[in-house]
Amino acid sequence: MKRTHNNGELRINHVGEKVTLIGWVAKKRNMGAIVFIDLRDRYGLTQIVFNEEFASKTKDIKNEYILQVTGTVVERSSKNPHMPTGDIEVDVEDFTVVNTAKQPPIIVADETDASEETRMKYRYLDLRRPVLQNKIMTRAKIVKSIHEFLDGEDFIEIETPYLNRSTPEGARDFLVPSRVHKGSFYALPQSPQLFKQLLMVSGFEKYYQIARCFRDEDLRADRQPEFTQVDVEMSFMDTDQILDLGERLVAKIMKDVKNIDIQLPLRRMTWHDAMEKYGIDKPDTRFGLELVNLNETVKDVDFAVFKSALEANGHVKGINVKGEASHFSRKKIDALGEIAKKYKAKGLAWLKVTDEGVSGPIAKFFNEEQLDRLLKAMDAKADDLLLFVADSHYMVVCDALAAIRNHLGKELKLYDPHTFDFLWIVDFPMFEYSEEDGRYYAMHHPFTRPKESDLDKILTDPAHCLADAYDIVLNGFELGGGSQRIYDEELQDKAFEALGFTEERIRSQFGWFVDAFQYGAPPHGGFALGLDRVAMLLTESDSLRDVIAFPKNTSSKDPVTDAPGTVDDAQLDELGIAVKEGVLDGESE
Amino acid sequence: MKRTHNNGELRINHVGEKVTLIGWVAKKRNMGAIVFIDLRDRYGLTQIVFNEEFASKTKDIKNEYILQVTGTVVERSSKNPHMPTGDIEVDVEDFTVVNTAKQPPIIVADETDASEETRMKYRYLDLRRPVLQNKIMTRAKIVKSIHEFLDGEDFIEIETPYLNRSTPEGARDFLVPSRVHKGSFYALPQSPQLFKQLLMVSGFEKYYQIARCFRDEDLRADRQPEFTQVDVEMSFMDTDQILDLGERLVAKIMKDVKNIDIQLPLRRMTWHDAMEKYGIDKPDTRFGLELVNLNETVKDVDFAVFKSALEANGHVKGINVKGEASHFSRKKIDALGEIAKKYKAKGLAWLKVTDEGVSGPIAKFFNEEQLDRLLKAMDAKADDLLLFVADSHYMVVCDALAAIRNHLGKELKLYDPHTFDFLWIVDFPMFEYSEEDGRYYAMHHPFTRPKESDLDKILTDPAHCLADAYDIVLNGFELGGGSQRIYDEELQDKAFEALGFTEERIRSQFGWFVDAFQYGAPPHGGFALGLDRVAMLLTESDSLRDVIAFPKNTSSKDPVTDAPGTVDDAQLDELGIAVKEGVLDGESE
């Protein structure tokens, strides 16, 4: 069982060589007395020719059989320029069936007609499709590139525990009942945050890990309960040095995997500017269509929606969809309005600019001077479509217009989908206020250090305290982010206090952690990249599922193994836990 | 906050240069008006001199303070040849205290007097000790070497899920209650076994992963509930090719990490020979002291212990402890007897060989001819100590003598502790029979393929069916192992049947897996290495805890975070589970 070559490597210069190949039957064609088989392995396809002598012995062979074939490489009479091995074929002199195959439930080829559900269930066949196999291999290439870069920068790969302590702040933990300490639970890590900080206290200076992380959240759209994070932390480096390192890492990945040179340094945009221009902290910067702040411009316009928003200290923002007025019917504009409503806006106001002025339901509220001011503010010309959202809440205005902007960018094909536009978002607020809970939450996490200039605001003016935190954004996705961390106990206590934690809670939940700061903790910071997302974007995939070998489905099930499953009562007894009565009957799914 | 050099790199050729260093105060000495501080970072130590101008400003500085120091490199008057930077010192021209430190609860130096418990609790300080820091860095070097080797051999790193399905066969699973599917549980993987086999069915051909694995077993001696496995699987390779790859991997690690060239190919020993010669399937081959099979030799000796063992189809084996008879008092021999009893032997018989014949309690049972035969069989000379164990169970004889042999090897210093002696153990039995359960268990796991020659024995003669399985052994430790795997449904069903699984159990537990074999599964096999153990042995550590940054203690607790811990009832409610009544009061620890 030895092969001389793989199925992707034979070329015209191999003609005349005797070779042995192994692979799966991708396609079989009878041409009169001759049989052609495309043999497939992870490297590619090679055409095998079974002449009359052998053709009859191929009768039972079907797709997905595994064959070992020995023969001579010959030049093809009709070459296939779309196939790397298309100049040659192998003339069989001997072959054996290594294994047989039933008719597979999906078509094992790039183009398959199977449903997502069937593909997920037979994932091991889905993964045979070259398009998907290449995505998994590209992911491995990304990982290799990361190892090379960080090893080369003197970072130490260190593993941190997966059986952790549960910390209620943040997303919901997956729990693991302890058998030895019955009634107690481990939690799977949402990130190695605290351990990586301890490693800095330990003096490792430069740490990284490609770590699995777990969040038991409801799986909206494209989330996974377990995901992989490239986790990087370093001591004694200022933010410029950390960003420099982060972007050189990304540049190496782009070069190694896509052969694209990205220009460094990446540009930086403050969180405030991103919100103002794009309404979102992960803007897709491949196209314009920027938001315009109209608070001043429309302050005296007698339109109730604008007025009530501004009177409540709210906001009015607009987008100029240039040259599209004539392409947007009432129906299409209404569809945009629906997007606005999905993001909690009360509605979407609009105007079409014509050579004669403006038209649209709210045109009547503008006098000439107000209109001039508006058109100037929005740089509006004839055939522009102007969209407006007003609300007392800044985030509602931003969310709604950002969603509309992303929708239009895609629909109007305002960008080349094969471009990669990276940037840093910096100067995030430390906190965001939850009116529902009446308290502040950490925008990144409670261990983020405020900007040096804002250190004193942490308790006195938390709403305006900026964090020394940053995100790296690509094409409208957050690839990752990080921050400088707090490294003294007093400041950490203040940060907890700003979040409304009692002294008792700080001690019981984080005492072990803040204690570490007493013994010579170095200034430190770092970042994490979402590996699944990086792989998804670099393979130009629509879903994280394409770059995870065995993903969970949207109801957190593994479609291959059908996990999670019920377990024996004896197993639960050993753990000292029981499933509550009625739970199994009323299972949510 | 920028340094020009680290604390391990300044040499005589840097003299005259102005440098900036950052590090922890490892030692501070006052010499009259001058203060010397050894500054430590992960790279080493550098001596800093604070002359009179600066010495007074160092008054408050204590060990583990972090300093940034700028000064000029000068040649030392009294050089320290034990320190790589011992030729120079840095004459301070400016310094700042980056952070202060309380008196640490342990001495942060290679030699520390703190208890294991204190060191574990303050692990972040323990990890500052250079000896431990170097072990963690060596572990990272091993991982780097593994990545380089396997990437170079065209293996693809692929991640498999951590939220899996529970399979009751094997060790105890850690369970993770599902919130979405209440009453159902995920299990953390004991190994990626089934997924890596599916990846072979998917055609990836060469896969690897450095995977965390979990076993909820009682932690004897030196085990961890989570451990790391280098997991390698490949298709279309015979066992010779797999072993060749495995040993080249190990050789590269040894070269990269220890700069030791190990000779390839490694020798191979059958499981049967290992048991006969060493009484164990992971023999420490750095020394002789081999077991001698005496079944034939003593068959007519009228000693009840031997007789009854042999009559019950049992075994008698001996060890010749050469030239040690005069060094072993009755008391010392009794201590060996205690070891034998610990391994369930009824006792240890012994003889001392003298110039005049033999002495010892069982001498009287041998007639002259029997004695000659014995001395010849054991190659015994004057002053040799002969030890015997007899039992009706082969494994009791083996276990007891293997333990005594390992004990003697260490006690008598029969080997150089800095040598590394690798070998493969091959031809394991497929099954071992449990008299307690009245059934066979898989010696490796139920997916192991029998040797080609024994394929038909799997059901007809399971006791003598050999597996195409192998372990790699170093200095008496199993570093890892693997096998060829079953890749057809029929044989897999037979293997399950041999283990006494019902058809129903096979379908419900493994149906999803064996189904995959129907669609063109390639011949495949692989191996896994225990990374923690490799790191432990290569760093010549006594415990796995030395090479894991944050290990659990022997009661499965994380001494730093105190995990596992209790959680809110609300968290359990969401999962549909409850801690059983009485469990929390009667907690086992």
Side-chain angles (χ1 to χ4, degrees), chain A residues 3 42-43 99 128 139 154 159 162 165 180-181 185-186 205 228 521 555-556 561 565 573 580 588, chain B residues 3 42-43 99 139 154 159 162 165 180-181 185-186 205 228 519 521 555-556 561 565 573 580 588:
Chain A
R3 53 185 165 186
R42 111 183 195 212
Y43 300 93
N99 208 347
R128 271 190 205 162
R139 180 187 174 115
D154 222 10
E159 296 177 72
Y162 280 10
R165 189 186 162 103
V180 179
H181 305 276
F185 295 79
Y186 301 99
E205 300 185 33
T228 302
S555 82
S556 281
T561 68
D573 281 348
K580 287 189 161 182
S588 62
Chain B
R3 52 186 167 187
R42 112 185 195 211
Y43 300 92
N99 208 347
R139 180 187 174 114
D154 222 10
E159 295 177 73
Y162 280 11
R165 189 187 161 103
V180 178
H181 305 275
F185 295 80
Y186 300 99
E205 300 186 35
T228 303
Y519 300 105
S555 83
S556 281
T561 67
D573 281 348
K580 286 188 161 184
S588 62

Side-chain angles (χ1 to χ4, degrees), chain A residues 25-183:
Chain A
V25 174
K27 198 153 75 176
K28 182 183 169 194
R29 281 154 299 152
N30 297 302
M31 304 277 274
I34 300 175
V35 171
F36 293 90
I37 281 179
D38 283 351
L39 209 58
R40 187 196 65 234
D41 63 17
R42 111 183 195 212
Y43 300 93
L45 291 169
T46 301
Q47 177 163 295
I48 315 291
V49 189
F50 295 76
N51 282 312
E52 287 169 48
E53 182 192 349
F54 293 97
S56 63
K57 298 177 187 162
T58 66
K59 219 178 354 164
D60 295 333
I61 293 175
K62 297 189 190 70
N63 278 1
E64 302 309 317
Y65 270 49
I66 301 177
L67 305 184
Q68 171 169 321
V69 169
T70 298
T72 302
V73 182
V74 295
E75 185 170 358
R76 280 209 216 177
S77 49
S78 62
K79 298 192 170 53
N80 181 346
H82 304 298
M83 221 169 142
T85 63
D87 286 353
I88 57 90
E89 58 196 11
V90 173
D91 200 8
V92 170
E93 285 152 30
D94 191 17
F95 81 94
T96 51
V97 173
V98 177
N99 208 347
T100 60
K102 284 204 323 191
Q103 165 91 28
I106 69 171
I107 294 173
V108 181
D110 285 356
E111 300 291 324
T112 186
D113 59 349
S115 69
E116 167 105 17
E117 200 186 332
T118 306
R119 287 173 43 210
M120 292 278 276
K121 178 170 178 190
Y122 296 96
R123 184 67 171 175
Y124 46 90
L125 298 178
D126 198 27
L127 284 172
R128 271 190 205 162
R129 298 190 304 122
V131 61
L132 209 45
Q133 207 161 67
N134 285 329
K135 287 181 181 185
I136 300 291
M137 291 197 277
T138 298
R139 180 187 174 115
K141 252 194 192 172
I142 294 169
V143 171
K144 181 167 181 280
S145 184
I146 292 165
H147 282 305
E148 284 173 1
F149 179 81
L150 292 170
D151 289 343
E153 294 280 337
D154 222 10
F155 279 74
I156 311 168
E157 194 172 0
I158 302 178
E159 296 177 72
T160 54
Y162 280 10
L163 295 172
N164 285 2
R165 189 186 162 103
S166 182
T167 50
E169 188 75 1
R172 202 186 281 110
D173 284 327
F174 279 104
L175 297 181
V176 182
S178 165
R179 181 180 54 83
V180 179
H181 305 276
K182 290 184 183 50

Side-chain angles (χ1 to χ4, degrees), chain B residues 58-348:
Chain B
T58 67
K59 221 178 352 166
D60 296 333
I61 292 175
K62 299 190 190 68
N63 278 1
E64 303 310 317
Y65 270 48
I66 302 176
L67 305 184
Q68 171 169 321
V69 169
T70 298
T72 302
V73 182
V74 296
E75 186 169 359
R76 280 209 216 177
S77 48
S78 63
K79 298 191 168 57
N80 181 346
H82 304 298
M83 219 170 141
T85 62
D87 286 352
I88 58 92
E89 57 196 12
V90 173
D91 200 9
V92 169
E93 284 151 31
D94 190 19
F95 81 95
T96 51
V97 173
V98 177
N99 208 347
T100 61
K102 282 204 326 190
Q103 165 92 27
I106 70 171
I107 294 173
V108 181
D110 284 356
E111 300 291 324
T112 186
D113 59 349
S115 68
E116 166 105 16
E117 201 186 329
T118 306
R119 286 174 44 212
M120 293 278 277
K121 177 169 179 191
Y122 296 95
R123 183 68 171 176
Y124 45 89
L125 297 178
D126 200 26
L127 284 172
R128 270 188 207 165
R129 299 190 303 123
V131 61
L132 209 45
Q133 206 160 68
N134 285 329
K135 287 181 183 187
I136 299 292
M137 291 197 278
T138 299
R139 180 187 174 114
K141 252 193 193 173
I142 294 169
V143 171
K144 181 168 180 280
S145 184
I146 292 166
H147 281 304
E148 284 173 2
F149 178 80
L150 291 171
D151 289 343
E153 293 281 337
D154 222 10
F155 279 75
I156 311 168
E157 195 173 359
I158 303 178
E159 295 177 73
T160 54
Y162 280 11
L163 295 173
N164 285 0
R165 189 187 161 103
S166 182
T167 52
E169 188 74 2
R172 201 185 283 108
D173 284 327
F174 279 104
L175 298 181
V176 182
S178 164
R179 181 180 54 83
V180 178
H181 305 275
K182 291 184 181 52
S184 288
F185 295 80
Y186 300 99
L188 299 179
Q190 296 184 25
S191 90
Q193 185 61 38
L194 300 185
F195 284 109
K196 74 176 167 180
Q197 291 194 240
L198 287 188
L199 288 172
M200 293 303 104
V201 175
S202 295
F204 284 104
E205 300 186 35
K206 294 175 172 187
Y207 139 96
Y208 82 102
Q209 184 179 197
I210 299 184
R212 203 73 59 87
C213 303
F214 304 84
R215 284 185 200 170
D216 188 10
E217 295 297 297
D218 295 316
L219 301 187
R220 280 175 286 136
D222 199 27
R223 290 251 203 116
Q224 288 284 323
E226 49 179 309
F227 57 97
T228 303
Q229 190 163 296
V230 182
D231 202 49
V232 184
E233 193 81 3
M234 61 212 93
S235 298
F236 308 126
M237 309 251 278
D238 63 28
T239 301
D240 281 341
Q241 290 173 298
I242 296 176
L243 297 195
D244 171 67
L245 186 104
E247 62 192 39
R248 284 189 295 115
L249 169 60
V250 167
K252 175 162 160 63
I253 296 170
M254 290 302 290
K255 184 66 184 172
D256 289 350
V257 174
K258 308 287 290 182
N259 199 25
I260 290 176
D261 291 292
I262 64 171
Q263 215 193 319
L264 300 186
L266 299 182
R267 70 184 181 292
R268 301 182 191 178
M269 187 182 292
T270 65
W271 179 87
H272 178 264
D273 284 354
M275 296 309 288
E276 277 295 293
K277 278 192 192 164
Y278 302 102
I280 195 166
D281 58 3
K282 44 183 181 187
D284 190 338
T285 45
R286 289 174 297 180
F287 61 100
L289 218 61
E290 291 180 6
L291 279 55
V292 183
N293 184 324
L294 300 171
N295 290 3
E296 279 300 311
T297 312
V298 303
K299 67 180 170 191
D300 55 358
V301 173
D302 197 21
F303 173 38
V305 172
F306 289 178
K307 275 190 104 159
S308 64
L310 292 175
E311 273 163 17
N313 275 318
H315 291 262
V316 183
K317 281 169 167 283
I319 287 179
N320 180 352
V321 194
K322 291 208 80 73
E324 293 288 342
S326 50
H327 301 120
F328 272 73
S329 62
R330 184 69 181 246
K331 200 174 144 194
K332 277 177 81 176
I333 295 174
D334 284 350
L336 298 180
E338 289 308 312
I339 297 175
K341 282 179 193 157
K342 206 174 129 191
Y343 287 86
K344 297 190 186 158
K346 288 181 200 77
L348 180 74

Side-chain angles (χ1 to χ4, degrees), chain A residues 258 420 474-475 477-479 532-541 547:
Chain A
K258 307 289 289 184
F420 295 88
L474 168 62
N475 296 357
F477 289 89
E478 180 200 327
L479 281 193
D532 308 296
R533 190 158 289 162
V534 171
M536 180 184 91
L537 291 172
L538 266 56
T539 56
E540 299 179 32
S541 302
V547 293

